[in-house]
Amino acid sequence: ARRTRPVMASVCTGALLLGAAGLVRGRPCTTHRMSRDKLAEQGGKVVDVRVVDDGDLVTSAGVTSGLELALWLIQRGHGIDVSLNVERVLEYERRGAVYRTGRD
């Protein structure tokens, strides 16, 4: 598979691990709503959405937002048709939009 760089992704409070490693400092990100203050203390620019795509850093809010993140990464890498097919197979309907910064 063609890859120009690794993508770091987190689901729910996994973003706090990225924060502890300094990987969210100054970058848009999200985590579970009960941990957003902590993520901001770690230097993240917390956005109140389910999924934040900042190029090589993609974060999602609560646990179910992890499904949104996975479907977004499928769409980003393989296109909307593949992503919609996976959504149908999972019998899951996405909610909300992905916050994108334009970094690719």
Side-chain angles (χ1 to χ4, degrees), residues 27-82:
R27 299 185 71 177
C29 55
T30 194
T31 189
H32 189 278
R33 67 181 58 259
M34 294 178 69
S35 297
R36 288 181 181 159
D37 289 344
K38 177 71 174 171
L39 190 60
E41 289 172 12
Q42 293 175 328
K45 293 183 177 180
V46 178
V47 182
D48 184 16
V49 296
R50 292 173 63 81
V51 177
V52 174
D53 182 343
D54 191 38
D56 62 349
L57 176 68
V58 184
T59 55
S60 67
V63 173
T64 59
S65 299
L67 290 168
E68 309 274 336
L69 181 143
L71 290 166
W72 171 247
L73 290 177
I74 291 168
Q75 179 177 331
R76 198 173 112 165
H78 302 285
I80 187 68
D81 291 336
V82 173

